[in-house]
Amino acid sequence: MGQEILAPIAGKILQVFVSVGQTVSEDDQVVTMEAMKMENPILSPYEGVVKEIRVKVADEVKADQLLMIID
Amino acid sequence: MSVRKLIEILEHTEREIKMGGGTRAIEEQHRKGRLTARERIDILFDKGTFVEVNMYSQHQCYDFGMEKKRPYGDGVITGYGNVNGRTVFVYAMDFTVLGGSIGLNNASKIAHAQRMSVKAKVPMIGLVDTSGARIQEGSGTYSLLFYEHIRSSGVIPQISCIMGTCAGGGCYSPALTDFIFMIDKTSEMYITGPRVIKEVCKEECTGEELGGPKVHSQISGVTDFVSKTEQECLDQLKKLLSFLPSNCDEKPPIVETGDDPNRRCEELADVVPNSPKAPFDMKKIVRAIADHGDFLEVKARFARNMITGFIRIGGYPAGIVANQSMVMAGSIDSDASDKAARFYRFCDCFNIPILTFADVPGYLPGVKEEHKGIIRHGAKMLYGYVEADVPKILIVVRKAYGGSWAAMGSKTMGADFAFAWPTAEMAIMGAEGAVEILYRKEILAAEDKDAARKEKIDEYRNTFNSPYLYAGKMVVDFLIRPQDTRAHLYKAIRLLWNKPQEKISRKHGNIPL
């Protein structure tokens, strides 16, 4: 079981900065979303390895939707 | 017995009391990576200034074998002394003595110290390190503390440092104070501990997962500051005190910082990005205008879409409330609103001017947020702003839309001055949304819908979102170059420093909690 990164706000995925297997540190930017007519950097609240990515560029996501899992 | 002998006995007893629970208990405390209550007091107070009160207190419990264990001090040290030359009162629970447990007598001792701090009109600091309520004595002890905290609220600053575990009803003692500090790895706070939660709710978790510093600084918002060590915690505490007056009847200290109040902040010309879609770090602005870039952020990792904290400008203290477009586009959700509302009210309690920096697209939309009660929570921020009668200055950095603009303050909400940068966009709503309502039919009928929409958006933006329009209506008092913000704010704070307070005749208002 890993730690989940959820969308803090509803919006559209503009960019995904990491790939599965990549190591991330706390506060590394993993995704950019468009929401409220703004680009929103999504930072990893955890340190670990990207286990699974559930979204791709141009996906529309809801608030609290699972973006990726960090192990 | 000779008088000399009596004095000698007193001195001997005093030395014994200062050994707390004895060498072994002190070693055990150190082994857990914690300092003793007396070591903490030594760090907190200026050398040689601490005066201990009720050193010889003893519990009055004669049940469960407690009659054989009646150490002086009773597990809590109280007293007063100077912190950077200013008097503060303290209570420090001594874990080496009866586990720092709270019984009737030592709760009375803390309550007495608290009443003394109110009489002396000086801040009260709590250094919390307790195994909990002293069960041999039954219940009804914490309420003594609750009562005093509530009676002193807004009269003197009250600050709690959680130096160890704080469990059960005892959590409400710090929760009723103005600020809470926690320490990495050693502090935990919860109403029901992991063992009971496992038994009752069948949920498994560690104390840290339940109520460690990360939880309370990021998820619950219970704590205001997290420090790496006890030393760092006490240093931060002293820094916080430096911004505060000793009581509600005094103004906060103005200090000589040696940073020119008229210093131009050239870097501020390039902080707001050219693209309206791009976020930027509002803290860059706060640090740029602050004396020596020094910003004491409050609740730094909770509701990060809203920034709160203290700075000085030309030595004058100010409370900052600012939107952070890097997080959720800077929109205001329930947590951000609670955070800002509480901060507004604290600044108002202790005469600290409020500076608000707006870059806010609106309250956060969504079913979840509505169901969570953004109406109720958002209202607190409005209430807190208007209620405050300290100097209030708004700086519109970029966006200020609709109701969320009011939450950041405006002339009609009682701001004394409103400044705007040339990058400001202010309106009842965004141009895109407004155009969909106003020109829906025209756009649908147009041959090139996108071009028509764009034209109308530009027209609306130029007509209604421009800061010049608002300066014309005197909704904005000053259109300023970003570089001159510090100098302007310094002059405005000085101008308003003795702003009279308006008392409304009533018991108290009814903030929508």
Side-chain angles (χ1 to χ4, degrees):
Chain A
M1 209 204 104
Q3 311 255 39
E4 297 178 338
I5 301 182
L6 308 178
I9 189 170
K12 188 171 142 189
I13 305 295
L14 293 181
Q15 221 175 334
V16 178
F17 292 96
V18 292
S19 43
V20 172
Q22 195 175 328
T23 306
V24 293
S25 307
E26 203 173 310
D27 288 344
D28 276 359
Q29 187 173 347
V30 290
V31 168
T32 303
M33 284 177 58
E34 188 182 82
M36 301 288 287
K37 297 168 208 149
M38 290 278 292
E39 292 158 15
N40 291 260
I42 309 300
L43 313 182
S44 173
Y46 320 104
E47 186 181 300
V49 177
V50 180
K51 193 180 168 192
E52 217 178 312
I53 299 176
R54 294 283 185 89
V55 289
K56 56 183 191 307
V57 170
D59 280 0
E60 299 276 353
V61 297
K62 291 181 181 161
D64 287 340
Q65 189 172 325
L66 179 61
L67 301 179
M68 59 182 69
I69 299 172
I70 308 292
D71 222 352
Chain B
M1 206 182 286
S2 72
V3 173
R4 289 271 172 196
K5 184 68 189 169
L6 289 171
I7 293 171
E8 213 173 276
I9 292 170
L10 178 79
E11 286 169 350
H12 175 75
T13 317
E14 195 175 307
R15 275 197 299 277
E16 292 237 305
I17 296 171
K18 286 186 176 166
M19 283 304 290
T23 320
R24 271 183 59 188
I26 292 172
E27 276 171 12
E28 176 61 17
Q29 180 80 349
H30 287 161
R31 201 187 54 75
K32 286 186 290 190
R34 298 183 195 174
L35 299 173
T36 65
R38 289 195 185 273
E39 287 165 340
R40 289 166 186 158
I41 284 171
D42 280 347
I43 295 173
L44 178 61
F45 290 100
D46 301 349
K47 205 172 163 45
T49 63
F50 181 66
V51 182
E52 191 166 341
V53 179
N54 295 127
M55 185 188 243
Y56 292 87
S57 70
Q58 284 179 298
H59 69 73
Q60 310 293 318
C61 174
Y62 298 93
D63 301 309
F64 303 104
M66 288 291 282
E67 65 278 8
K68 293 184 204 108
K69 250 175 109 182
R70 301 184 65 223
Y72 286 126
D74 205 14
V76 173
I77 301 163
T78 60
Y80 62 96
N82 291 352
V83 172
N84 293 327
R86 299 166 68 210
T87 308
V88 305
F89 243 92
V90 73
Y91 72 85
M93 294 169 180
D94 188 347
F95 200 85
T96 69
V97 178
L98 301 172
S101 58
I102 298 300
L104 188 59
N105 207 51
N106 61 6
S108 303
K109 178 173 168 176
I110 297 172
H112 176 246
Q114 178 101 32
R115 284 192 296 275
M116 290 306 296
S117 69
V118 172
K119 283 184 192 174
K121 300 180 94 172
V122 297
M124 182 74 186
I125 312 297
L127 306 179
V128 179
D129 190 359
T130 173
S131 56
R134 194 174 294 161
I135 46 179
Q136 293 92 333
E137 292 195 27
S139 64
T141 53
Y142 282 131
S143 47
L144 285 165
L145 309 189
F146 302 161
Y147 182 87
E148 297 302 336
H149 286 314
I150 296 163
R151 298 287 295 181
S152 326
S153 182
V155 180
I156 48 163
Q158 303 182 79
I159 304 168
S160 306
C161 302
I162 313 302
M163 301 306 219
T165 304
C166 182
C171 286
Y172 288 116
S173 162
L176 288 164
T177 63
D178 298 307
F179 292 104
I180 297 180
F181 285 78
M182 287 180 83
I183 296 157
D184 251 351
K185 295 188 178 70
T186 52
S187 305
E188 286 174 8
M189 288 178 84
Y190 30 72
I191 299 298
T192 34
R195 226 169 35 201
V196 177
I197 288 193
K198 190 179 171 190
E199 207 176 294
V200 179
C201 315
K202 316 294 173 210
E203 290 172 322
E204 290 215 31
C205 57
T206 64
E208 194 183 348
E209 287 164 353
L210 185 61
K214 193 167 177 176
V215 169
H216 289 313
S217 62
Q218 296 182 27
I219 303 170
S220 73
V222 165
T223 194
D224 299 282
F225 301 95
V226 176
S227 311
K228 287 196 181 68
T229 61
E230 293 194 18
Q231 174 78 48
E232 187 186 295
C233 167
L234 295 167
D235 289 343
Q236 287 279 92
L237 167 66
K238 290 182 201 184
K239 187 167 178 188
L240 173 61
L241 283 170
S242 76
F243 286 102
L244 314 183
S246 293
N247 58 67
C248 63
D249 295 321
E250 288 180 8
K251 290 211 185 291
I254 303 163
V255 301
E256 183 50 63
T257 59
D259 193 353
D260 176 10
N262 293 313
R263 169 172 58 80
R264 275 170 60 96
C265 308
E266 292 302 335
E267 67 271 36
L268 291 187
D270 302 311
V271 170
V272 176
N274 291 329
S275 159
K277 279 178 177 293
F280 67 91
D281 186 1
M282 183 68 95
K283 285 188 218 169
K284 282 185 186 163
I285 299 175
V286 176
R287 291 202 186 94
I289 63 157
D291 286 355
H292 303 293
D294 199 3
F295 175 42
L296 180 63
E297 196 174 356
V298 175
K299 289 197 203 299
R301 294 183 72 86
F302 175 70
R304 290 200 276 185
N305 39 339
M306 187 69 75
I307 300 165
T308 54
F310 300 103
I311 62 165
R312 287 183 187 284
I313 301 182
Y316 284 77
I320 302 290
V321 174
N323 308 115
Q324 175 59 283
S325 60
M326 305 279 287
V327 180
M328 299 192 338
S331 57
I332 301 176
D333 63 347
S334 299
D335 284 345
S337 189
D338 285 1
K339 174 178 170 177
R342 184 161 165 80
F343 193 76
Y344 281 152
R345 299 192 91 220
F346 177 81
C347 290
D348 187 45
C349 283
F350 296 106
N351 311 315
I352 300 166
I354 296 169
L355 309 180
T356 47
F357 290 82
D359 178 22
V360 62
Y363 280 107
L364 180 65
V367 175
K368 185 181 131 199
E369 211 39 43
E370 294 289 345
H371 286 191
K372 204 173 163 187
I374 183 67
I375 296 174
R376 188 162 60 83
H377 293 282
K380 295 178 203 177
M381 221 182 138
L382 303 171
Y383 192 105
Y385 190 84
V386 171
E387 181 187 43
D389 58 12
V390 294
K392 292 182 285 194
I393 302 163
L394 165 71
I395 303 96
V396 182
V397 172
R398 190 164 61 172
K399 295 173 190 170
Y401 284 112
S404 64
W405 171 4
M408 299 307 292
S410 63
K411 296 286 292 294
T412 42
M413 288 287 288
D416 298 298
F417 271 151
F419 291 80
W421 287 11
T423 44
E425 315 166 20
M426 312 158 78
I428 185 81
M429 67 191 297
E432 292 86 347
V435 159
E436 287 301 325
I437 296 165
L438 293 175
Y439 299 109
R440 202 180 136 79
K441 280 184 193 150
E442 285 92 324
I443 292 169
L444 282 176
E447 216 162 278
D448 186 343
K449 292 183 182 53
D450 287 342
R453 184 179 290 116
K454 195 181 171 307
E455 185 191 324
K456 291 295 180 193
I457 287 173
D458 287 343
E459 186 190 322
Y460 188 91
R461 189 172 280 143
N462 292 334
T463 315
F464 290 117
N465 294 20
S466 150
Y468 292 89
L469 173 82
Y470 291 97
K473 292 178 178 178
M474 294 189 289
V475 168
V476 163
D477 300 299
F478 307 86
L479 283 177
I480 60 167
R481 282 182 300 180
Q483 301 95 304
D484 301 333
T485 307
R486 175 177 156 88
H488 275 292
L489 289 177
Y490 171 72
K491 288 175 190 142
I493 292 172
R494 280 193 58 153
L495 179 77
L496 293 162
W497 188 248
N498 290 315
K499 177 185 169 188
Q501 294 176 342
E502 308 151 15
K503 288 273 175 264
I504 301 170
S505 178
R506 61 181 169 193
K507 281 186 76 180
H508 58 75
N510 187 12
I511 185 166
L513 293 173

